[in-house]
Every structure is written in structure tokens, then in C-alpha cells.
Amino acid sequence: MTYDTQPEASHHIGGRYVEDTAGAAIPVIYPATGDRIATVHAATASVVDQALAAAEAAQPDWAALSPRERGRILTRAAQIMRARNHELSVLETRDTGKPLQETLVADATSGADALEYFGGLAGTLTGEHIPLGRDWVYTIREALGVCVGIGAWNYPTQIACWKAAPALACGNTMVFKPSETTPLCALKVAEILTEAGAPPGVFNVVQGLGETGARLVTDPRVAKVSLTGSAPTGRKVYAAAAADMKHVTMELGGKSPMIVFDDADIENAVGGAILGNFYSSGQICSNGTRVFVHGAIMERFLDRLTARLTTAVIGDPLDEATSFGPMVSEAQMNIVLGYIDKGRTEGARLVTGGRRVDREGFYLEPTVFADVTDAMTIAREEIFGPVMSVLDFDDEDEVIARANATEYGLSAGVFTRDLARAHRVTGKLRAGTCFINSYNDAPVEAPFGGVKASGVGRENAQAAVEHYSQLKSVYVRMGDVEAPF
Ligand code: NAD
């Protein structure tokens, strides 16, 4: 079975599909061909209102359910998602252009992991008892209320689930706005949660561009906003949320370093660099796009890297043999081509790639620049495409300072056989997630998020609970009140 790419309607509100064609048409383009595969409509003001009203009306009863019952619904949704992994993966591939080889293992499966994990956690969310001699305080972990989730286009199913699962486990309801570039998959998440027993209004999806996102963020009914997107959008959303003192989680961009010391296992380091630059055609926020390689092993590293890149299978993303697909959109492809031009004109050495692939769709070759210096644009700005910058170094302190010399701090990787060095260096790297002899693993059990311009707050793990709930302290006096008069 496969899903139709054209959804039944644009929005999913109150447990059912809702359409309002008065909203601007948003074409959904299959990146591998450039063909239009669906059309959805941006939410009008009345659709946004309907979604927020549904979420607000559903929230008190949802929060009043026993947490284990909420958890059971999330767990059931995880099971449905796993059972439908294949059709969800095909839809994700059509929505994003990512190869089916990837979507089968990294998207609905990751979403299901989050639903299962937070489903299991729901029954354990408790407050504490704080003894004060005769008196005591107890704390109650309460939901925040209506949460808004806003997604980027690279992992539409995963992002919807990473936000919905902890939010719903804690007793919140959510209105989620997917990226206008990939609007299809979040609707399936809503369908599945509804089928699993989530009451109407608990999880709603509305379509739209930044303007719709802004309307959601500024609505007084909203208690919290969780955004996955670029740092410039993050700044706007954070500022808008601050006006009403709303809670925020910001999962933003990066320009993460990967450091390969001269004692590293070269094949593993090359494998990490490939995963951290070319998986999802490089459209991953945590990618290690500044690869610092020790001068003594530079030529060996580049030889092995270029040899392995020739084995990339670039082609039809729906063919499971394909390991490298197109960029998500023509616009994103052109942005990346602009960066490749900058790399050339600023003097970096193009080792491989650098061009469009000669076929329909938005394909770029996996691209590697060597002799990159810290000041070059390609070493400073997030490209969000398959462009790796290789820089050389010869001293540990020097490379740590250079790795940290960025406005971002999402991830960082270290490849070395020296365990003491691995831990010493990760201790000094300013990043939310560090990898030792690995890159880009994101298990739901581990907190994920950035420092500096890469974001605020954490998704996944127990840490996410802190960002979707708040504590109420209740002081209990056991004796008489002693007032001064
Ligand atoms: P984007 O910032 O252009 O858009 C993200 C979302 O924000 C979209 O849904 C968009 O419609 C919405 N939006 C735009 N302006 C808004 C506004 N003023 N108010 C409210 N919402 C608004 O990002 P993108 O191009 O879709 O995605 C790529 C970016 O996302 C990259 O920078 C990437 O690093 C980042 N990203 C981060 C993570 C993470 O977890 N840290 C994961 C994936 C992607």
C-alpha cells in the first residue's frame, strides 16, 4: 500500500481533515523530478483560530487523564507508525526527496521511538515531597497548556513526533505547523494519533508559511513555542514569544566541527565525515561541515574520502539502491550552488563534485573542498547542502579554539584512538552534542539541542519533560499561622 500524495484536505483539526481553499495554494514538489505532487492551502486566520480553539478546548481533559492512559495512546501510535513504516517512508521520500534507503530507517522509525519513549515516561512524571520539619512542600508537575510546534523541511515526520510526544505526554495539546516545503507527513502523524485514541483537538496540524507561524506564536492562547528552523527565524520567533513571556524550545542551525587526529582510524573518520555531510544530501542541522584533519594524515584522508564518494549511488530516491538523493527544492539547490561558487572564488581547492547532476530534479554532486581557511564563507556559514569543508591543523589547543570560533554550537565530533584526548577535547568543545569516533547519532534517550546561536532548550530524553511542563510548589503548614499583628 502507498499513500496518495494529495491529502484529503490541507489541515487536520479536532481529529478530522479540514479544508479552506481561501488560503494561498502551496504546491508540493517532488524534488527528484520537479513535478507537482499535491497542493495544500495555507491556513487562513479562521483556520488558525479553529485549530487553537480545538487545542485549548481539549487541553484540560487531556491533562486530567491518568498519565499512563495518555502514555498508552502514544505507545499505540508508535505501534501503528512502525506497522506503516513502509508507506510512511515512501511519503517522506516524496515529500523531501530523501532516498527511501534512509527514510525506511530514520524517519517514521525515529518518530515512533519518540512516541514510544515518552509514552513509557508519561506514567513516571511526578512531583516531589520536600520535608521542612513539621511543615512540608510538595510539587506538582503541570502541563503548560497549548503548545505550538513549527517544523523545518528536512525531517518532517521526526520533527512532528519529537515535539508532539513529550508535549502530549506531559498533558499539553499542540498545534503543529510543518514547513511549507514538506507539508504532507505531519498530517499522517495527526491521523495516526487520532486512530490511536488521542481525543479531538489534542494534536492539530495547520499549513502555511512564516506568516502562519507568526500568527500562531503571537496568539495569547499559546503557552509554549517549539521551533525547528534556521537561526534567523529562531531570533524572530524567540523575540515574538518573549513579548508574552511564552516558553520556548529553539532547535536551530549549526556549523559543527569534526576533528580527525593523526591517530584516528581513517576509515571510521571518513565514514563519520560522509555521514555528517552527505546523509540526507547534507540537509541536517547537526552536520559536521568543518572537518579539521591533522596535516600528517590529510592526503590519506582525502584519498579515501574521494574513493568512497565514487561509490555513492545517485539516482531515483524511491529505488532502495539509491544512497544519495536530490536537494529538497530548487531554491535550496541554488543557495548551495551559490556557496560552491563562493568556495571557488575565495580560493578553496575543489577536490570533488561542485556541479548539478545532469538529470531532472534538484540534484547536486557530493562536494568536497580542501585547503579551506577559517575566514572563508563556506567555513563560517551554514550551507545546508552536500558541501564538506576540509581544514588542516597540527595542534590540539589550536584546533579546539578554531572549532569553537563560530556563532553556532549544535554538535561536534572527535576521531582519535587516544581515549584521554577524546574526553579532554569533548570537554572543551562548546556544543550541545559531542560524538567520539562517531557522528550524527540521535537516539531518543539522549538530550538533543544546541548552545549559542544553535538554540535554547533540549528535545528528547528526560530533559524534554522540563521543557513541556512546569512545577507548582504547594506549601503545607501543619501548625498555626504566626502573624506579626
Ligand atoms: P526556516 O527557518 O526557513 O523555517 C522553519 C520554519 O519556521 C518553517 O515552518 C517556516 O514556515 C517557519 N517560519 C518562518 N518564519 C517564521 C516566523 N516569522 N514565525 C514563525 N514561523 C516562521 O528553516 P528551514 O529552511 O525550513 O530549515 C532549515 C533550517 O532548520 C536550518 O538552519 C537547519 O539547521 C535547521 N534545523 C535545525 C534542526 C535542529 O534540531 N536543531 C533540525 C532540522 C533543521
Side-chain angles (χ1 to χ4, degrees):
M1 179 204 155
T2 50
Y3 288 122
D4 286 341
T5 46
Q6 178 61 49
E8 196 179 317
S10 301
H11 320 289
H12 201 280
I13 299 173
R16 60 184 186 87
Y17 276 102
V18 170
E19 189 55 275
D20 181 353
T21 53
I26 302 174
V28 186
I29 306 295
Y30 182 38
T33 60
D35 294 337
R36 181 193 282 233
I37 54 168
T39 302
V40 296
H41 291 271
T44 54
S46 96
V47 167
V48 168
D49 181 59
Q50 206 182 317
L52 288 169
E56 190 184 37
Q59 200 270 326
D61 285 351
W62 178 246
L65 271 188
S66 104
R68 213 152 45 75
E69 179 55 25
R70 290 199 299 270
R72 198 175 297 139
I73 291 167
L74 297 182
T75 310
R76 214 177 284 142
Q79 287 159 355
I80 298 172
M81 208 168 250
R82 286 220 174 84
R84 297 206 190 127
N85 184 43
H86 195 270
E87 45 268 51
L88 289 166
S89 301
V90 169
L91 189 70
E92 174 105 12
T93 289
R94 290 189 191 279
D95 215 3
T96 62
K98 293 186 293 179
L100 191 57
Q101 190 187 92
E102 290 187 13
T103 54
L104 282 170
V105 296
D107 293 284
T109 53
S110 164
D113 284 352
L115 291 164
E116 183 179 67
Y117 179 85
F118 287 103
L121 210 63
T124 72
L125 303 176
T126 55
E128 62 181 336
H129 171 263
I130 304 164
L132 297 168
R134 276 205 311 167
D135 295 351
W136 44 284
V137 167
Y138 64 94
T139 62
I140 305 172
R141 186 170 288 283
E142 293 186 335
L144 301 175
V146 175
C147 299
V148 160
I150 299 176
W153 41 256
N154 57 344
Y155 279 77
T157 306
Q158 181 192 81
I159 291 172
C161 293
W162 281 18
K163 297 189 188 312
L168 270 48
C170 292
N172 305 283
T173 54
M174 179 166 271
V175 177
F176 184 81
K177 189 198 84 62
S179 163
E180 57 274 29
T181 312
T182 55
L184 304 180
C185 300
L187 292 168
K188 294 294 164 200
V189 175
E191 263 183 39
I192 288 171
L193 278 164
T194 305
E195 187 181 335
V202 165
F203 181 73
N204 311 274
V205 174
V206 298
Q207 308 291 352
L209 284 71
E211 192 193 329
T212 306
R215 187 170 281 143
L216 287 167
V217 172
T218 47
D219 193 283
R221 287 168 284 190
V222 173
K224 181 201 166 111
V225 180
S226 176
L227 168 78
T228 297
S230 61
T233 303
R235 288 193 178 93
K236 282 189 232 163
V237 172
Y238 200 172
D244 290 325
M245 225 52 98
K246 289 174 178 147
H247 296 247
V248 295
T249 298
M250 294 282 147
E251 290 291 353
L252 309 175
K255 191 72 198 175
S256 300
M258 181 185 299
I259 305 173
V260 185
F261 285 98
D262 52 356
D263 64 345
D265 178 308
I266 299 257
E267 285 307 321
N268 284 336
V270 167
I274 288 173
L275 278 177
N277 281 273
F278 301 123
Y279 203 72
S280 301
S281 295
Q283 303 165 111
I284 298 183
C285 50
S286 50
N287 272 354
T289 48
R290 291 182 295 143
V291 182
F292 292 92
V293 179
H294 193 279
I297 55 164
M298 179 61 86
E299 285 318 310
R300 262 200 305 149
F301 179 89
L302 289 175
D303 284 351
R304 286 303 301 144
L305 178 64
T306 43
R308 284 177 62 173
L309 285 180
T310 61
T311 67
V313 181
I314 304 176
D316 174 4
L318 289 166
D319 178 345
E320 275 188 57
T322 296
S323 58
F324 187 84
M327 305 301 300
V328 75
S329 65
E330 188 165 19
Q332 187 62 20
M333 178 184 71
N334 288 331
I335 289 171
V336 178
L337 281 170
Y339 277 110
I340 292 173
D341 265 355
K342 277 219 172 75
R344 280 207 186 93
T345 54
E346 291 181 13
R349 171 163 62 99
L350 184 65
V351 176
T352 183
R355 291 168 308 181
R356 277 190 80 162
V357 177
D358 184 19
R359 56 175 293 147
E360 61 177 356
F362 314 131
Y363 287 83
L364 290 177
E365 294 172 337
T367 299
V368 177
F369 280 107
D371 301 342
V372 176
T373 61
D374 299 347
M376 289 180 185
T377 308
I378 56 169
R380 285 186 291 107
E381 295 183 13
E382 182 183 49
I383 299 174
F384 225 58
V387 182
M388 182 193 301
S389 293
V390 182
L391 307 94
D392 74 353
F393 77 95
D394 44 38
D395 173 74
E396 182 180 309
D397 288 339
E398 165 219 326
V399 78
I400 293 169
R402 290 170 61 198
N404 285 335
T406 165
E407 64 169 318
Y408 293 112
L410 195 52
S411 299
V414 179
F415 281 85
T416 176
R417 286 195 174 93
D418 179 340
L419 270 184
R421 171 155 65 191
H423 295 292
R424 185 170 65 236
V425 173
T426 48
K428 292 179 184 164
L429 287 171
R430 300 192 58 204
T433 300
C434 290
F435 303 96
I436 295 176
N437 295 326
S438 188
Y439 208 85
N440 260 355
D441 315 77
V444 67
E445 296 88 343
F448 181 81
V451 303
K452 301 194 279 180
S454 291
V456 174
R458 292 293 177 265
E459 292 196 308
N460 288 342
Q462 301 259 354
V465 169
E466 298 300 328
H467 299 288
Y468 280 104
S469 61
Q470 57 198 345
L471 291 173
K472 174 185 278 174
S473 292
V474 181
Y475 190 103
V476 181
R477 180 174 295 283
M478 299 301 286
D480 295 331
V481 173
E482 284 175 30
F485 48 82

